Amino acid sequence: DVVFSPDRATAAVVFDGAIVFVTLADPSDRVVVPLKVPGGAQLTPREVRFANDGSYLFILASGSDDVLSLEVTRDGGALSS
């Protein structure tokens, strides 16, 4: 799955166990975020959504009702999370 930030500047590519953030204007600007819980178990996203302002990505993992959040920021113009 792929979800887009509200401003369409960033895409979050969803994999089992990871999210890859990609700046659409410069696809080489990407950040891979492994999705693991303490103890090393991998999370599998069931649903993923950006906040209305694009500053967070909310993740609902399979087998859980908990919502995880990742802050999405730009450090000197480069994408980071």
Side-chain angles (χ1 to χ4, degrees), residues 23-67:
T23 301
L24 297 177
D26 179 7
S28 67
D29 182 16
R30 63 183 76 170
V31 175
V32 178
V33 179
L35 298 178
K36 295 187 178 189
V37 295
Q42 175 177 292
L43 290 176
T44 301
R46 178 173 70 193
E47 189 173 335
V48 178
R49 300 257 191 266
F50 273 97
N52 288 340
D53 65 0
S55 62
Y56 285 89
L57 186 74
F58 299 108
I59 303 161
L60 182 61
S62 293
S64 175
D65 290 330
D66 294 335
V67 175

